[in-house]
Amino acid sequence: MLEVSNIDTFYGKAQALWDVSLRVDEEEIVALIGANGAGKTTLLNTISGLLRPASGSVEFLGKKIDGLAPHSIVELGISHVPEGRKLFTDMTVRENLEMGAYPYHAWKQKEETLEHVYQIFPALKEREKQLSRTLSGGEQQMLAMGRGLMSRPKLCMFDEPSYGLAPILVVEAFRAIKSLREQGITILLIEQNVRRTLEIADRAYVLENGRVVLEGACDKLLQSDYVRKAYLGI
Amino acid sequence: MDITALTSRRFLVPGLITLTVLATLPLYGSLYTVILITTILMYIILAVSWVIFSGPTGYMSLASAAFFGVGIYTAAVLMPNTGQLLPLPVVVAIAGLISGLLAVLVGALTLRLRGIYFAIFTFGLVEIIKQVLLYWEFEVTHTRGRFVVLVDNDTVFYIMLGIFVALMLTVYFIRRSKFGLALQSIGENEEAAAHTGINVTMVKVITFGISAIFMGAAGAIMATRWTYIDPYIAFNPLFSFMPVLMAIFGGMGQLYGPVIGAAIFAYLQETLQTTFPYYYMLIFGIVLVVAILYLPNGIVGLIQKLIQRWRKGGSAEQNANT
């Protein structure tokens, strides 16, 4: 479904990604793990068109998407829920969700999608008319995820959905992600919560200093000495 | 959404009354009143069209004088006092389109700049155009300034009123549309707006263009009232700063904020200038400082506060009576 081949990405002169390749198949949950500064967010930003790779290619559903503008990539069916939520804080919960349905085809079905998102996150319906900045951290994360779903994506990319959440809400966030896969949405997930991530994902890539150092099925990675030592602290 | 519907109904009747009063003004108003109201309308148009773009997006544009001035010069070229080349409404429309086109070009080049850089660039644009025109007049045409055909005051007034009505309708529809939502979300968080699939550059550039159309049109009609223009008159930086001050003074939260702000400001300027010609800038400055210190949300914020207090007071009285 998504095929990233040998990309190099720079911030000005500083190279952030080195020859990174990654594949996501339909209805998979693929995780990206790695320390801060490893290049995980840079990789997602390159896929969603906010950054352009200097070399290499990104293909989605057989179509080359590197070089397309972010809004065109959203319309093709990739949704990116950014790190730190980035909500429209002075808009209501409902308006935030409606903005998520901005692409033309999604706008027409917005009421339907809205019902669906409210089913996944009932708390959002209760707070529909509140300004989004008045929500708790957990609710804000749900709103960010809900907004990402409003464009009716085929592939959803989550950047650290559990960041800053209380442990009980982390469980909630992971439950939501799992339920999305059951509804046929493919997921690319960045997480620091390595153990839990490897438990729900199918495959994972380990990024270090802008390079993929390890990849494979999650159950294998959970067994690997390297991952156990570096990321699970065992 | 329901809030916009509500407010629009609330303002429909006062809006229609104001419009009727204005549309019949030349029948009963003195010549001075008609001219004064024309000037006030011009400032309202500048302030509201500035708010169309800079209000929701938070990009501080100081290019108003450039678009206004391009409108003025377009009128001067198409309607010299030696003979009008095209009918007045057509000239006004062309002037608007040229200003709009300029804004689209400039916007496409510069709307990547954020914050203070954008403000400085847009202000530079005013100077660049002024200097180029000065050079051109000095070196190529060997003239200074231009004379514009004289148009009677009522016609100027009605065309200004027409531009004003068109502008208010445009603002109203933008605010209610999906496009308006997109604009607002760019102001709140541009990166998130891009993430949700908004073509942020396109939305910004189009809006910048729309706001410039009205500034250019207002400039074209104003040129016929001034009858003599040169680059210093047409590209006076005051026309960049005034709309900003007026909008802040009136309050930008509501559509009627910049309208009220511009109306009061323009009236104040006119009366101060005639009654205290020497101290007018000083008094003007003091009023401005006081307004910014004590009315952070502008006149509209003050009105809303008063209404709230009045409602509270009213209900307290009722409670006391029962």
Side-chain angles (χ1 to χ4, degrees):
Chain A
M1 183 178 218
L2 180 76
E3 183 90 51
V4 176
S5 323
N6 313 97
I7 57 168
D8 294 308
T9 301
F10 292 81
Y11 287 106
K13 277 184 182 162
Q15 186 158 3
L17 293 179
W18 306 74
D19 196 31
V20 170
S21 297
L22 164 149
R23 194 188 81 243
V24 182
D25 292 325
E26 214 132 325
E27 295 190 26
E28 254 190 326
I29 296 183
V30 173
L32 266 179
I33 55 184
N36 286 334
K40 304 177 302 266
T41 301
T42 308
L43 179 52
L44 288 206
N45 283 343
T46 310
I47 296 171
S48 61
L50 291 171
L51 294 169
R52 287 188 181 183
S55 58
S57 73
V58 183
E59 277 183 23
F60 180 62
L61 298 171
K63 195 173 180 279
K64 190 171 132 52
I65 61 165
D66 53 284
L68 289 184
H71 65 94
S72 317
I73 293 175
V74 175
E75 287 193 9
L76 287 173
I78 298 182
S79 177
H80 180 173
V81 178
E83 192 178 12
R85 295 148 205 166
K86 301 209 165 68
L87 297 174
F88 304 124
T89 46
D90 282 326
M91 290 188 181
T92 63
V93 168
R94 193 192 168 98
E95 283 169 337
N96 265 276
L97 291 172
E98 284 183 340
M99 284 317 299
Y102 192 81
Y104 182 70
H105 63 277
W107 190 258
K108 285 186 293 189
Q109 293 167 300
K110 123 180 117 136
E111 296 302 320
E112 235 180 285
T113 326
L114 197 62
E115 278 313 305
H116 185 68
V117 168
Y118 282 155
Q119 263 173 23
I120 304 174
F121 304 110
L124 293 183
K125 191 175 170 68
E126 286 164 31
R127 309 225 175 264
E128 202 178 46
K129 295 203 167 125
Q130 255 173 264
L131 289 186
S132 69
R133 64 152 144 218
T134 65
L135 299 184
S136 71
E139 288 163 341
Q140 290 193 1
Q141 185 57 50
M142 287 182 209
L143 180 54
M145 291 169 82
R147 186 179 65 188
L149 294 175
M150 287 298 292
S151 63
R152 302 180 80 97
K154 301 181 184 100
L155 169 69
C156 216
M157 307 194 291
F158 295 109
D159 197 340
E160 293 210 28
S162 77
Y163 179 77
L165 295 188
I168 186 155
L169 292 170
V170 173
V171 176
E172 187 74 1
F174 277 97
R175 183 197 58 78
I177 292 170
K178 245 174 127 175
S179 83
L180 294 179
R181 188 248 297 269
E182 282 150 26
Q183 293 160 33
I185 298 173
T186 309
I187 286 155
L188 180 56
L189 176 65
I190 289 186
E191 261 297 339
Q192 301 265 17
N193 197 327
V194 174
R195 178 186 295 279
R196 217 181 277 279
T197 306
L198 291 180
E199 278 165 12
I200 69 159
D202 302 306
R203 290 187 302 115
Y205 292 79
V206 180
L207 274 178
E208 266 171 30
N209 298 321
R211 291 181 175 84
V212 174
V213 293
L214 202 62
E215 60 172 286
C218 287
D219 41 359
K220 292 254 171 60
L221 289 179
L222 273 170
Q223 307 296 323
S224 115
D225 285 340
Y226 181 74
V227 171
R228 286 167 70 93
K229 219 170 141 186
Y231 294 99
L232 299 173
I234 307 173
Chain B
M1 279 291 148
D2 11 339
I3 293 171
T4 13
L6 232 149
T7 42
S8 66
R9 226 173 292 140
R10 192 148 56 95
F11 286 110
L12 186 66
V13 177
L16 282 179
I17 293 173
T18 317
L19 193 60
T20 327
V21 171
L22 283 177
T24 51
L25 184 73
L27 300 178
Y28 55 83
S30 66
L31 181 62
Y32 174 72
T33 319
V34 172
I35 293 177
L36 174 67
I37 301 280
T38 309
T39 309
I40 291 179
L41 281 176
M42 176 201 85
Y43 276 120
I44 294 179
I45 292 168
L46 286 179
V48 173
S49 27
W50 180 81
V51 168
I52 290 184
F53 175 75
S54 294
T57 61
Y59 280 79
M60 169 98 159
S61 162
L62 289 178
S64 309
F67 304 134
F68 186 66
V70 165
I72 293 173
Y73 253 79
T74 310
V77 169
L78 294 176
M79 297 191 299
N81 64 337
T82 48
Q84 197 167 332
L85 302 175
L86 289 164
L88 185 58
V90 178
V91 171
V92 171
I94 291 177
L97 286 179
I98 292 181
S99 289
L101 215 63
L102 175 70
V104 167
L105 268 173
V106 171
L109 287 173
T110 61
L111 277 171
R112 286 165 221 279
L113 302 175
R114 297 238 178 138
I116 194 75
Y117 300 102
F118 179 75
I120 291 172
F121 183 91
T122 50
F123 188 60
L125 181 72
V126 180
E127 282 303 310
I128 291 171
I129 299 179
K130 186 203 286 176
Q131 296 302 330
V132 167
L133 275 174
L134 278 172
Y135 175 83
W136 181 267
E137 290 189 343
F138 193 74
E139 294 287 336
V140 182
T141 59
H142 303 294
T143 55
R144 172 69 188 276
R146 285 164 179 274
F147 290 95
V148 189
V149 106
L150 180 66
V151 178
D152 76 283
N153 290 308
D154 287 359
T155 315
V156 174
F157 171 75
Y158 278 118
I159 288 188
M160 198 64 98
L161 186 62
I163 299 171
F164 168 70
V165 172
L167 171 65
M168 293 316 270
L169 289 175
T170 309
V171 175
Y172 175 71
F173 285 116
I174 288 182
R175 286 213 168 191
R176 292 198 46 162
S177 67
K178 187 182 167 192
F179 189 83
L181 265 179
L183 205 54
Q184 197 192 336
S185 60
I186 290 174
E188 292 212 4
N189 194 326
E190 193 161 338
E191 198 184 328
H195 274 302
T196 59
I198 296 167
N199 188 343
V200 285
T201 314
M202 178 96 98
V203 171
K204 284 188 293 186
V205 168
I206 290 177
T207 315
F208 199 46
I210 292 175
S211 84
I213 287 178
F214 291 100
M215 293 174 179
I221 192 65
M222 250 357 236
T224 66
R225 237 202 55 199
W226 290 335
T227 63
Y228 169 78
I229 59 122
D230 65 26
Y232 289 107
I233 297 174
F235 294 91
N236 184 344
L238 264 187
F239 293 119
S240 279
F241 292 116
M242 281 304 207
V244 184
L245 296 177
M246 288 168 167
I248 295 172
F249 181 66
M252 292 196 280
Q254 298 285 334
L255 174 55
Y256 62 89
V259 175
I260 293 177
I264 295 177
F265 233 73
Y267 181 75
L268 210 63
Q269 189 192 23
E270 188 77 19
T271 41
L272 287 179
Q273 210 164 11
T274 44
T275 38
F276 307 101
Y278 298 109
Y279 298 111
Y280 118 85
M281 266 301 185
L282 181 68
I283 302 175
F284 208 52
I286 293 174
V287 170
L288 196 66
V289 170
V290 169
I292 285 173
L293 277 180
Y294 295 102
L295 302 175
N297 296 317
I299 300 276
V300 168
L302 180 71
I303 293 174
Q304 281 170 342
K305 218 189 252 170
L306 286 179
I307 289 178
Q308 254 173 23
R309 192 173 298 171
W310 177 72
R311 278 207 184 128
K312 244 189 226 159
S315 58
E317 224 165 85
Q318 262 178 1
N319 290 341
N321 286 341
T322 48

